[in-house]
Amino acid sequence: MYMLQASASFQNQRIPSDMVFLRTSEKAGSCFIRTDQLDGETDWKLKVAVSCTQRLPALGDLFSISAYVYAQKPQLDIHSFEGTFTREDSDPPIHESLSIENTLWASTIVASGTVIGVVIYTGKETRSVMNTSNPKNKVGLLDLELNQLTKALFLALVVLSVVMVTLQGFAGPWYRNLFRFLLLFSYIIPISLRVNLDMGKAAYGWMIMKDENIPGTVVRTSTIPEELGRLVYLLTDKTGTLTQNEMVFKRLHLGTVSYGTDTMDEIQSHVLNSYLQVHSQPSGHNPSSAPLRRSQSSTPKVKKSVSSRIHEAVKAIALCHNVTPVYEARAGITGETEFAEADQDFSDENRTYQASSPDEVALVRWTESVGLTLISRDLASMQLKTPSGQVLTYCILQMFPFTSESKRMGIIVRDESTAEITFYMKGADVAMSTIVQYNDWLEEECGNMAREGLRTLVVAKRTLTEEQYQDFESRYSQAKLSIHDRALKVAAVVESLEREMELLCLTGVEDQLQADVRPTLEMLRNAGIKIWMLTGDKLETATCIAKSSHLVSRTQDIHVFRPVTSRGEAHLELNAFRRKHDCALVISGDSLEVCLRYYEHELVELACQCPAVVCCRCSPTQKAHIVTLLRQHTRKRTCAIGDGGNDVSMIQAADCGIGIEGKEGKQASLAADFSITQFRHIGRLLMVHGRNSYKRSAALGQFVMHRGLIISTMQAVFSSVFYFASVPLYQGFLMVGYATIYTMFPVFSLVLDQDVKPEMAILYPELYKDLTKGRSLSFKTFLIWVLISIYQGGILMYGALLLFEDEFVHVVAISFTALILTELLMVALTIRTWHWLMVVAEFLSLGCYVASLAFLNEYFGIGRVSFGAFLDVAFITTVTFLWKVSAITVVSCLPLYVLKYLKRKLSPPSYSKLSS
């Protein structure tokens, strides 16, 4: 790939395609980019230009050199890249290794300076496109149930038409009559059902967004609000969802001494003293603390030892990180003057820290609070300011960034004043326990801190001689240039340094819980929802957050699933777990993978019986896989809630996805079906809005079906009375008016109905359990409505025929008026809580009907041509018309009112006991 494909991006611009970073306007040869649209992390990432092209005197020289880039084939992983840069026209040719820090991925944004790069991947080969999954359309359970009922109705339509033709005796062109009957009875199929439901869903969405108790909630889907009322499993992320992703430094442990938040001032005085001593005796700046540590017999030396150990520990924490101080204030200052500015500007409030993890920022903020401040950093050096105002400069020789495999990060620095080279390292206790010298307290203290809910990091160091370092550097650069198995070779070289390191300290950082997480989880548990926590975090951290958030109650046992690698081990561990009752399960991603490979069904079955499940060290694809498994095995509705880019696949895989707008950007909330601002809002979203949406849609759907069935029953009765003639009972406009203007408003006003006040629904979350059984809409309730329709249709038609033997032509007017009144009364019967709009809708519809009688009179004759009957206004106004219509309506509706009253008295629903 030659240099002609260069592309330039300016500050705050999006990078158009995947590039190798060649040159920047920043003096340091590096720039920051924001990656929140790619990986959901809000902090800035430092990227480094290829040094060979950064060193060129002028920008134009880029196009005059002959060089090429070798890049690996496109792949999914956004955190790794291997390539080489070769410049051919120099003597000898220059080879440089390219890694992830030399790349600029598409969809990231330049945060500082201007960058110029050579394009390596475009279109479908870019990392951002390869990592997107195609979202699927989600269909709610209620819609699927209504589809089943509609199929049943279609079957009924065909059967009814065939029966009619059979009763005719297949006389004449019977197939033509069959189709005429199919058209006549086609009102059985509720065509308006979809329209009504979709309008209803839009109304629920509007109500959710307008709810003042859950401000900032956004409904991003118009198809599944009812799902919120049917959930059985809630799968939640930990960081940023249950916790705030705001880190606070809580504990420093040195093996013999432990410092908490209340004793930080002691550390401050120790640090101050050690730097004052250094000032008084500049020759002894190299505090050879090793011999002091060995001779801890005499008291004064012990004191000195603790002081120097604290000093070493604080210095290590201040140096071993990937944090860069950024000074907001003065715009347009180039590199060198910025440091001069920074010198005068130390105490200024406008210093902010940028890093790829909030833990690191918390540590550096803490070293600042005890007196050792990071004031500037570029690729090659770092400056610390001591409590007395002296500036120490350290030259950065090598950086080994943190990866999820190594679980640790390292840095090699040279102190400018003493030329001493030190290798600092910090990481998870699992990774570090084998690297540091033997000690008896590390494991125990890590456990203690984890139980308090702290995230632990172990800090260690090793002093290197110049020869050791030179030897390491040559092997390291050799490994970095290799094209095959580069990662393995580099890791092997770095591991040669990670031997017998001196353990300095153990740090504990707390991630605070979101507001009201405990009561919300309690409420969801009482509502019969099983909560699973899927996190990419360590097992210890995940377990302690599960305890502190009361995801696992105090009295419950926790079964930690031991790491398994083979089928036999998985089998034994599953058997051990099967013997336990009512205990929460904690399992890591790797063990889960093994168990799912061999014992998928058994594992899911056992896990579903647990009150709570915690899966730690889960990759984004694993999270989605767990959601899919739950859906397939249990056939229950699942909901996933998360806040970062790593939760998107899980949110899209669940039946209902909820995103939280958090520290990790908006990626999850944009991909979700519902977006909320705080975890606690989920309680109201499910208990109140989920309940109402489901109950209302169920009532609305069944009522629309009833509306079609009743008119079809009347048509059937009419046809059978008249020798199975395929003649329509009502003319076109009446049929159109029936489904729209006469009954539309009252039926649609069912979306305002509620059976329980919102306060009640939240106070008694147990009410939610009933909804998951799906009793509001089932074949049982559907059959009841079918029977009601047949009864009412029959009464209306037979009543009209019986009472009007002498003036038969008026059958249409009478039966249609009684039908409209019946429908309006049935809506009133179905409603549980009246709303003023419902009353308006009822009277509006009645008014529309009465008004239309005046100018639709020609439609009220039966088959205008055949009978030639017209509706005379004089007849409508007679008392006989009015009493006969009233009588038919009462006969069709009163029994149902009586039945409803008896049912409420004899077996009231659970919510009525509360509201009374």
Side-chain angles (χ1 to χ4, degrees), residues 419-718:
E420 185 182 64
I421 299 176
T422 317
F423 172 38
Y424 289 107
M425 188 153 225
K426 69 162 188 242
D429 50 307
V430 195
M432 298 290 287
S433 55
T434 53
I435 293 171
V436 297
Q437 293 165 351
Y438 173 77
N439 61 324
D440 53 5
W441 57 273
L442 183 61
E443 197 176 333
E444 185 187 345
E445 285 307 325
C446 282
N448 291 345
M449 284 197 193
R451 278 189 284 281
E452 290 175 43
L454 302 179
R455 298 159 75 110
T456 54
L457 281 174
V458 181
V459 185
K461 75 161 196 178
R462 179 180 170 188
T463 311
L464 302 177
T465 62
E466 189 68 43
E467 295 77 44
Q468 281 173 322
Y469 175 68
Q470 292 304 336
D471 168 53
F472 164 77
E473 191 184 31
S474 62
R475 286 182 296 137
Y476 186 64
S477 38
Q478 197 64 44
K480 271 169 72 174
L481 281 171
S482 62
I483 285 177
H484 300 294
D485 299 332
R486 179 191 293 180
L488 287 173
K489 289 178 184 168
V490 168
V493 174
V494 176
E495 267 171 32
S496 68
L497 277 186
E498 300 170 350
R499 303 234 172 96
E500 287 295 299
M501 295 187 72
E502 180 188 334
L503 174 60
L504 294 175
C505 65
L506 176 66
T507 63
V509 175
E510 183 187 38
D511 192 354
Q512 291 170 322
L513 287 179
Q514 292 254 12
D516 292 340
V517 161
R518 288 174 193 149
T520 307
L521 289 178
E522 188 75 21
M523 179 201 292
L524 295 174
R525 251 206 313 276
N526 291 343
I529 296 175
K530 292 187 173 172
I531 305 163
W532 288 33
M533 184 165 92
L534 312 180
T535 172
D537 234 323
K538 296 199 290 286
L539 188 133
E540 300 76 24
T541 325
T543 316
C544 68
I545 293 290
K547 282 180 189 162
S548 64
S549 65
H550 294 184
L551 177 74
V552 178
S553 58
R554 287 287 154 97
T555 51
Q556 259 167 12
D557 284 338
I558 293 184
H559 177 81
V560 178
F561 206 88
R562 285 213 301 277
V564 294
T565 47
S566 64
R567 183 174 186 152
E569 289 177 10
H571 183 77
L572 290 170
E573 193 57 30
L574 278 170
N575 282 347
F577 178 48
R578 193 175 273 120
R579 289 190 211 94
K580 303 218 174 169
H581 293 291
D582 190 48
C583 74
L585 170 67
V586 178
I587 184 167
S588 70
D590 319 335
S591 309
L592 186 72
E593 197 72 31
V594 176
C595 292
L596 292 179
R597 196 176 312 139
Y598 302 114
Y599 299 107
E600 184 178 288
H601 188 75
E602 290 85 341
L603 180 72
V604 177
E605 202 177 329
L606 283 172
C608 289
Q609 293 165 4
C610 294
V613 177
V614 177
C615 301
C616 50
R617 287 271 172 239
C618 280
S619 65
T621 36
Q622 259 179 338
K623 290 185 180 184
H625 186 53
I626 294 169
V627 175
T628 322
L629 275 178
L630 265 182
R631 286 180 59 190
Q632 288 168 351
H633 278 272
T634 61
R635 300 260 172 242
K636 299 276 200 305
R637 302 324 264 175
T638 58
C639 168
I641 176 167
D643 73 320
N646 55 345
D647 305 315
V648 171
S649 44
M650 157 172 93
I651 285 172
Q652 288 179 340
D655 293 299
C656 167
I658 301 178
I660 297 183
E661 287 184 22
K663 286 246 167 28
E664 298 185 24
K666 287 196 173 186
Q667 210 169 350
S669 80
L670 290 172
D673 306 306
F674 302 90
S675 158
I676 55 180
T677 50
Q678 289 182 343
F679 182 77
R680 60 177 177 182
H681 292 168
I682 195 175
R684 187 176 176 89
L685 191 66
L686 301 188
M687 301 302 129
V688 177
H689 294 289
R691 176 188 190 85
N692 287 346
S693 302
Y694 170 55
K695 287 271 192 184
R696 290 162 176 175
S697 283
L700 182 65
Q702 296 183 102
F703 208 92
V704 172
M705 288 176 176
H706 157 79
R707 187 170 72 180
L709 276 168
I710 190 170
I711 204 162
S712 299
T713 308
M714 293 172 75
Q715 175 71 54
V717 170
F718 174 75

Side-chain angles (χ1 to χ4, degrees), residues 119-146:
V119 176
I120 47 174
Y121 308 122
T122 56
K124 287 186 177 173
E125 296 182 342
T126 58
R127 293 290 204 265
S128 57
V129 176
M130 290 180 79
N131 271 287
T132 49
S133 53
N134 292 333
K136 58 181 194 321
N137 278 339
K138 297 186 181 180
V139 181
L141 189 57
L142 185 98
D143 293 331
L144 296 174
E145 290 167 343
L146 284 169

Side-chain angles (χ1 to χ4, degrees), residues 213-226:
N213 295 301
I214 46 173
T217 303
V218 184
V219 178
R220 300 190 193 278
T221 174
S222 57
T223 51
I224 54 169
E226 299 91 4

Side-chain angles (χ1 to χ4, degrees), residues 338-491:
E338 191 177 82
F339 292 144
E341 285 288 338
D343 276 317
Q344 302 140 26
D345 207 30
F346 288 154
S347 59
D348 208 327
E349 302 305 297
N350 68 355
R351 182 194 306 113
T352 53
Y353 291 115
Q354 285 296 344
S356 52
S357 117
D359 298 47
E360 297 218 297
V361 178
L363 292 172
V364 175
R365 285 228 173 88
W366 174 77
T367 62
E368 181 182 3
S369 71
V370 295
L372 200 57
T373 313
L374 174 70
I375 53 171
S376 81
R377 178 192 184 132
D378 55 26
L379 289 180
S381 69
M382 201 178 328
Q383 290 183 318
L384 300 179
K385 192 177 77 166
T386 65
S388 54
Q390 183 198 10
V391 175
L392 307 173
T393 308
Y394 291 89
C395 176
I396 301 175
L397 302 175
Q398 296 290 351
M399 273 290 299
F400 314 112
F402 183 91
T403 63
S404 50
E405 287 78 41
S406 70
K407 299 187 179 57
R408 55 187 182 266
M409 67 144 311
I411 187 170
I412 302 180
V413 293
R414 180 193 278 126
D415 187 337
E416 293 284 308
S417 55
T418 61
E420 185 182 64
I421 299 176
T422 317
F423 172 38
Y424 289 107
M425 188 153 225
K426 69 162 188 242
D429 50 307
V430 195
M432 298 290 287
S433 55
T434 53
I435 293 171
V436 297
Q437 293 165 351
Y438 173 77
N439 61 324
D440 53 5
W441 57 273
L442 183 61
E443 197 176 333
E444 185 187 345
E445 285 307 325
C446 282
N448 291 345
M449 284 197 193
R451 278 189 284 281
E452 290 175 43
L454 302 179
R455 298 159 75 110
T456 54
L457 281 174
V458 181
V459 185
K461 75 161 196 178
R462 179 180 170 188
T463 311
L464 302 177
T465 62
E466 189 68 43
E467 295 77 44
Q468 281 173 322
Y469 175 68
Q470 292 304 336
D471 168 53
F472 164 77
E473 191 184 31
S474 62
R475 286 182 296 137
Y476 186 64
S477 38
Q478 197 64 44
K480 271 169 72 174
L481 281 171
S482 62
I483 285 177
H484 300 294
D485 299 332
R486 179 191 293 180
L488 287 173
K489 289 178 184 168
V490 168

